[in-house]
C-alpha cells in the first residue's frame, strides 16, 4: 500500500485532525524521554477509542507497516521510539475513566488516565 493510500485510510479511521504527517510535527514523536537515539515516524495517529486503535493496527498489519504504541512519551528506555519509521499510535486522547467499582476497588480506564486524574475522579 502506498503512503498516500495509507494516510487516507488512517484519516478515514480516526479523522483528519487525528493524523499527524507534517515533518516538523513528527519530530515531537522521534523519541520518548530517552533522546539518545532519534527516529521520526512516517505518521502519527491519535485515536479516541479502542475500536480505532484496533482498526489502525489491522491496517498497519495489512500494509506491512510497523507500529509503535506511545503513551505520554515520558519513558526513559526508548520504548516509544519508532526505530523503523512506521506509525506511532499515540494514546494521549484516550483519557477517560470508563467505569469505577468502588466495592471491589477496581476501575476501568483508558490508557492515558494518570493516577492523579483517577484520584480526582474518585475524590467525591
Amino acid at each position: 500500500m502506498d503512503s498516500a493510500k495509507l494516510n487516507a485510510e488512517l484519516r478515514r479511521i480516526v479523522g483528519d485532525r487525528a493524523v499527524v504527517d507534517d515533518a516538523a510535527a513528527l519530530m515531537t514523536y522521534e523519541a520518548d524521554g530517552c533522546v539518545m537515539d532519534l527516529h521520526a515516524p512516517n505518521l502519527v495517529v491519535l485515536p479516541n477509542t479502542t475500536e480505532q486503535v484496533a482498526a489502525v493496527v489491522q491496517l498497519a498489519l495489512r500494509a506491512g507497516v510497523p507500529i509503535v504504541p506511545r503513551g505520554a512519551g515520558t519513558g526513559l528506555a526508548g520504548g516509544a521510539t519508532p526505530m523503523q519509521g512506521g506509525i506511532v499510535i499515540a494514546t494521549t486522547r484516550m483519557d477517560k475513566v470508563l467505569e469505577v467499582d468502588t466495592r471491589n476497588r477496581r476501575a476501568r480506564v483508558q490508557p492515558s488516565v494518570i493516577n492523579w486524574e483517577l484520584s480526582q475522579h474518585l475524590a467525591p
Side-chain angles (χ1 to χ4, degrees):
M1 177 180 300
D2 70 22
S3 61
K5 184 172 182 181
L6 179 62
N7 194 319
E9 281 296 305
L10 289 170
R11 289 174 186 283
R12 185 188 61 74
I13 294 168
V14 297
D16 288 333
R17 296 186 62 161
V19 175
V20 178
D21 59 2
D22 175 71
L26 290 172
M27 290 174 61
T28 301
Y29 300 92
E30 65 188 8
D32 59 10
C34 177
V35 294
M36 293 174 57
D37 200 7
L38 307 177
H39 300 275
N42 299 100
L43 295 165
V44 174
V45 295
L46 300 148
N48 289 304
T49 67
T50 302
E51 292 77 20
Q52 288 177 338
V53 172
V56 169
V57 170
Q58 290 169 355
L59 175 62
L61 179 63
R62 285 194 312 271
V65 176
I67 59 168
V68 175
R70 178 184 172 102
T74 58
L76 298 175
T81 302
M83 300 302 287
Q84 300 173 348
I87 300 169
V88 167
I89 301 174
T91 61
T92 50
R93 293 184 180 176
M94 298 178 70
D95 61 355
K96 309 234 180 344
V97 176
L98 302 174
E99 177 184 357
V100 174
D101 178 356
T102 53
R103 182 173 179 213
N104 291 306
R105 304 183 86 176
R106 294 183 187 187
R108 192 166 62 91
V109 301
Q110 291 182 318
S112 285
V113 172
I114 59 174
N115 289 336
W116 182 85
E117 291 166 343
L118 180 59
S119 295
Q120 293 300 104
H121 182 86
L122 295 171

